[in-house]
Amino acid sequence: MIHPSEIAKMFEQEPLACWNGERLPLSEVRVSVLDRGFLFGDAIYEVIRVYSGKPFLFQDHLNRIQRNLEKMSLPADLGSIQRWIEETISASGFVEASVYIHVTRGVAPRTHRFPDPPPTPNVLIYVAAFHDSYSQFRHSGASVVVVPDQRWKRCDIKSVNLLANCFASEMAHQQGCAEALLSDDSGKLSEGSRSSLFGVKDSVVLTAPLGENILPGITRRLIQQLCEECQLEMREETIHQSQLDEIDELFLTATTMEILPVTRVDDQPIGDGQIGPVSRQLVDAYQKHIERFRNET
Ligand code: PDD
């Protein structure tokens, strides 16, 4: 078994956790091997970015947690989760941070069906200092690869069943790429292994319509709003792999990634292989939006 002090050493500064309402260092959290999150991946999660000590797009993330709890019939209390998130952020003292929230169906003897009576859900929250691992790509543009989408058919639920996403991400990493684009059997590109996908064609921003095959990204919604502010037309249209040589620009979005311009796919340039004007405009609008949020009281 890994000693708690080893876990603490994995982080430059140890994250502060909240386990069912009790605050403690992350390395001291203990969970039963009969927890259904451990046995079945019977759990949902959420990731929130903290800027200047404040959770960004907090209400949108809370709404998504609530929708996921309902889709999974998980009887956890959103009001407590919200309070624990707020208290853990402020107790952590981290100003630039990310919050990880994980709700499992709880502990019960191992049966596939949901236990009756339902166990009490286990709620883990931890707040970690944020280190931006994408800044190098944000300036140069990222290279990505296309891999088959091998996930289950309810990708709209933010469940912790992420094995196919991990495989895709590892394939990208082995090829020196920042992210993997997921392609269905017909060649349609749904999203990234951990991000939403956008294209630009003739100055129109394109992204896949919401459905059970993609996660309804919180950052995706913000991009829709920023497109309106920038008077950019946005259309919900899935990009096909065969269209990549005609597309002008590509970019990815996610909570911790923000906006990541993509300049190469499978070693082929997108457009002229440089970060395009629409991507630059949206990166700029995103930064301004965050600055405004930082300065709000
Ligand atoms: N990933 N699609 C997938 C499959 C994702 O895993 C994510 C986020 C997104 C973007 O969603 P949002 O804008 O709400 O962050 C889209 C998170 C950050 C993660 O797994 O760490």
Side-chain angles (χ1 to χ4, degrees), residues 45 47 61 64 151 158 165 191-196 215 217-220 253-256:
Y45 78 106
V47 179
H61 285 283
R64 186 165 66 183
R151 301 175 301 167
K158 202 163 170 61
N165 306 60
E191 57 182 339
S193 76
R194 56 189 187 284
S195 55
S196 307
L215 184 81
I218 303 299
T219 323
R220 177 188 183 279
T253 69
T255 294
T256 48

Side-chain angles (χ1 to χ4, degrees), residues 14 22 50 141 149 209 221:
E14 184 167 10
E22 185 199 344
V50 172
D149 191 346
R221 257 192 67 167

Side-chain angles (χ1 to χ4, degrees), residues 56-101:
F56 186 53
L57 302 173
F58 194 27
Q59 193 56 51
D60 292 336
H61 285 283
L62 290 171
N63 293 345
R64 186 165 66 183
I65 294 173
Q66 183 61 42
R67 283 199 307 273
N68 283 313
L69 292 175
E70 283 164 13
K71 285 177 184 177
M72 298 267 288
S73 306
L74 270 171
D77 175 45
L78 189 70
S80 306
I81 294 174
Q82 172 172 358
R83 186 163 41 82
W84 293 337
I85 294 170
E86 288 166 343
E87 288 170 359
T88 313
I89 292 171
S90 76
S92 76
F94 295 135
V95 177
E96 297 303 306
S98 63
V99 187
Y100 179 76
I101 301 121

